[in-house]
Coordinates of all heavy atoms in Angstrom, one line a residue:
Q1 N -26.6 -24.4 113.8 CA -27.8 -24.0 113.1 C -29.0 -24.5 114.0 O -30.0 -23.8 114.2 CB -27.9 -24.6 111.7 CG -29.1 -24.2 110.9 CD -29.1 -24.8 109.5 OE1 -28.6 -25.9 109.3 NE2 -29.7 -24.1 108.6
N2 N -28.9 -25.8 114.5 CA -30.0 -26.3 115.3 C -30.1 -25.6 116.6 O -31.2 -25.3 117.1 CB -29.8 -27.8 115.6 CG -29.9 -28.6 114.3 OD1 -30.6 -28.2 113.4 ND2 -29.3 -29.8 114.3
A3 N -29.0 -25.2 117.2 CA -29.0 -24.5 118.5 C -29.6 -23.1 118.5 O -30.1 -22.6 119.5 CB -27.5 -24.5 119.1
E4 N -29.5 -22.5 117.3 CA -30.1 -21.2 117.1 C -31.5 -21.2 116.5 O -32.1 -20.1 116.3 CB -29.2 -20.4 116.2 CG -27.8 -20.1 116.7 CD -26.8 -19.5 115.7 OE1 -27.2 -19.4 114.5 OE2 -25.7 -19.1 116.1
S5 N -32.0 -22.4 116.4 CA -33.4 -22.5 115.8 C -34.4 -22.2 116.9 O -34.1 -22.2 118.1 CB -33.6 -23.9 115.2 OG -33.6 -24.9 116.2
K6 N -35.7 -22.1 116.6 CA -36.8 -21.8 117.5 C -37.0 -23.1 118.4 O -37.6 -23.0 119.5 CB -38.0 -21.4 116.8 CG -37.9 -20.1 116.1 CD -39.2 -19.7 115.4 CE -39.1 -18.3 114.7 NZ -40.4 -17.9 114.0
M7 N -36.7 -24.2 117.9 CA -36.9 -25.5 118.6 C -36.0 -25.7 119.7 O -36.2 -26.5 120.6 CB -36.9 -26.7 117.6 CG -38.0 -26.8 116.7 SD -39.6 -27.1 117.5 CE -39.3 -28.7 118.2
A8 N -34.8 -24.9 119.7 CA -33.7 -25.2 120.7 C -34.2 -25.0 122.1 O -33.7 -25.7 123.0 CB -32.6 -24.3 120.3
K9 N -35.1 -24.1 122.3 CA -35.5 -23.8 123.7 C -36.4 -25.0 124.3 O -36.5 -25.1 125.5 CB -36.3 -22.5 123.9 CG -37.5 -22.4 123.0 CD -38.2 -21.0 123.2 CE -39.5 -20.9 122.4 NZ -40.1 -19.5 122.6
Y10 N -36.9 -25.8 123.4 CA -37.7 -27.0 123.8 C -36.8 -28.2 123.9 O -37.2 -29.2 124.4 CB -38.9 -27.2 122.9 CG -39.8 -26.0 122.8 CD1 -39.9 -25.2 121.6 CD2 -40.6 -25.6 123.9 CE1 -40.7 -24.2 121.5 CE2 -41.5 -24.5 123.8 CZ -41.5 -23.8 122.6 OH -42.3 -22.7 122.5
M11 N -35.6 -28.2 123.2 CA -34.7 -29.3 123.2 C -33.4 -28.9 123.6 O -32.5 -28.6 122.8 CB -34.7 -29.9 121.7 CG -36.1 -30.3 121.2 SD -36.1 -30.9 119.5 CE -35.2 -32.4 119.7
P12 N -33.1 -28.9 124.9 CA -31.8 -28.4 125.4 C -30.6 -29.2 124.9 O -29.5 -28.7 125.0 CB -32.0 -28.5 127.0 CG -33.1 -29.4 127.1 CD -34.0 -29.3 126.0
Q13 N -30.8 -30.4 124.5 CA -29.7 -31.3 124.0 C -29.1 -30.7 122.8 O -27.9 -30.9 122.5 CB -30.1 -32.7 123.8 CG -31.1 -32.9 122.6 CD -32.5 -32.9 123.1 OE1 -32.8 -32.2 124.1 NE2 -33.4 -33.6 122.3
M14 N -29.8 -29.8 122.1 CA -29.2 -29.2 120.9 C -28.1 -28.3 121.2 O -27.1 -28.2 120.6 CB -30.3 -28.4 120.1 CG -31.3 -29.2 119.4 SD -32.5 -28.2 118.4 CE -33.4 -29.5 117.6
Q15 N -28.2 -27.5 122.4 CA -27.2 -26.6 122.8 C -26.0 -27.4 123.3 O -24.8 -27.1 123.0 CB -27.7 -25.8 124.0 CG -26.9 -24.6 124.3 CD -26.8 -23.6 123.2 OE1 -25.7 -23.3 122.7 NE2 -27.9 -23.1 122.7
Q16 N -26.2 -28.6 123.9 CA -25.2 -29.5 124.4 C -24.4 -30.0 123.2 O -23.1 -30.1 123.2 CB -25.7 -30.6 125.2 CG -24.7 -31.5 125.8 CD -23.8 -30.8 126.8 OE1 -24.2 -30.2 127.8 NE2 -22.5 -30.8 126.6
Q17 N -25.1 -30.4 122.1 CA -24.4 -30.9 120.9 C -23.5 -29.9 120.3 O -22.4 -30.2 119.8 CB -25.5 -31.4 119.9 CG -26.2 -32.7 120.4 CD -27.3 -33.1 119.4 OE1 -27.6 -32.4 118.5 NE2 -27.9 -34.2 119.7
K18 N -24.0 -28.6 120.3 CA -23.2 -27.5 119.7 C -21.9 -27.4 120.6 O -20.8 -27.2 120.0 CB -24.0 -26.2 119.7 CG -23.1 -25.0 119.2 CD -23.9 -23.7 119.4 CE -23.1 -22.6 118.8 NZ -21.7 -22.4 119.5
Q19 N -22.0 -27.4 121.9 CA -20.8 -27.3 122.7 C -19.9 -28.4 122.5 O -18.6 -28.2 122.5 CB -21.3 -27.2 124.2 CG -22.1 -26.0 124.6 CD -22.6 -26.1 126.0 OE1 -22.3 -27.0 126.8 NE2 -23.4 -25.1 126.4
D20 N -20.4 -29.7 122.3 CA -19.5 -30.8 122.1 C -18.7 -30.6 120.8 O -17.5 -30.9 120.8 CB -20.4 -32.1 122.0 CG -20.9 -32.5 123.4 OD1 -20.4 -32.0 124.4 OD2 -21.8 -33.4 123.4
W21 N -19.4 -30.2 119.7 CA -18.7 -30.0 118.4 C -17.8 -28.8 118.4 O -16.7 -28.8 117.7 CB -19.7 -30.0 117.3 CG -20.3 -31.3 117.0 CD1 -21.5 -31.8 117.2 CD2 -19.6 -32.4 116.4 NE1 -21.6 -33.1 116.8 CE2 -20.5 -33.5 116.4 CE3 -18.2 -32.6 116.0 CZ2 -20.1 -34.8 115.9 CZ3 -17.8 -33.9 115.5 CH2 -18.8 -34.9 115.4
D22 N -18.1 -27.8 119.2 CA -17.2 -26.7 119.4 C -15.9 -27.2 120.0 O -14.8 -26.8 119.6 CB -17.8 -25.6 120.2 CG -18.9 -24.8 119.5 OD1 -19.0 -24.9 118.3 OD2 -19.7 -24.1 120.2
L23 N -16.0 -28.0 121.1 CA -14.8 -28.5 121.8 C -14.1 -29.5 120.8 O -12.8 -29.5 120.9 CB -15.3 -29.3 123.0 CG -15.8 -28.4 124.2 CD1 -16.4 -29.3 125.3 CD2 -14.7 -27.6 124.7
A24 N -14.8 -30.3 120.0 CA -14.1 -31.2 119.1 C -13.2 -30.4 118.1 O -12.1 -30.8 117.8 CB -15.2 -32.0 118.4
L25 N -13.8 -29.3 117.5 CA -13.0 -28.6 116.6 C -11.8 -27.9 117.2 O -10.7 -27.9 116.6 CB -13.9 -27.5 115.9 CG -14.8 -27.9 114.8 CD1 -15.6 -26.7 114.3 CD2 -14.0 -28.5 113.7
K26 N -11.9 -27.4 118.4 CA -10.8 -26.8 119.1 C -9.7 -27.9 119.4 O -8.5 -27.6 119.3 CB -11.2 -26.2 120.5 CG -12.1 -25.0 120.3 CD -12.5 -24.4 121.7 CE -13.4 -23.2 121.5 NZ -13.8 -22.6 122.8
A27 N -10.2 -29.1 119.7 CA -9.2 -30.2 120.0 C -8.5 -30.6 118.7 O -7.3 -30.9 118.7 CB -9.9 -31.4 120.6

């Protein structure tokens, strides 16, 4: 939800956090 928000383009760490949790769920 945070990675798809309007603030995400100003806060690149949000996209990184989404990738981390995607990997965690796959693991």
Side-chain angles (χ1 to χ4, degrees):
Q1 185 180 29
N2 291 337
E4 295 173 351
S5 67
K6 294 181 180 179
M7 289 294 295
K9 61 181 179 181
Y10 303 109
M11 303 178 70
Q13 67 268 28
M14 288 184 174
Q15 197 63 239
Q16 184 64 56
Q17 289 174 355
K18 178 186 181 303
Q19 294 175 5
D20 287 346
W21 284 109
D22 287 345
L23 290 172
L25 278 180
K26 290 179 181 178

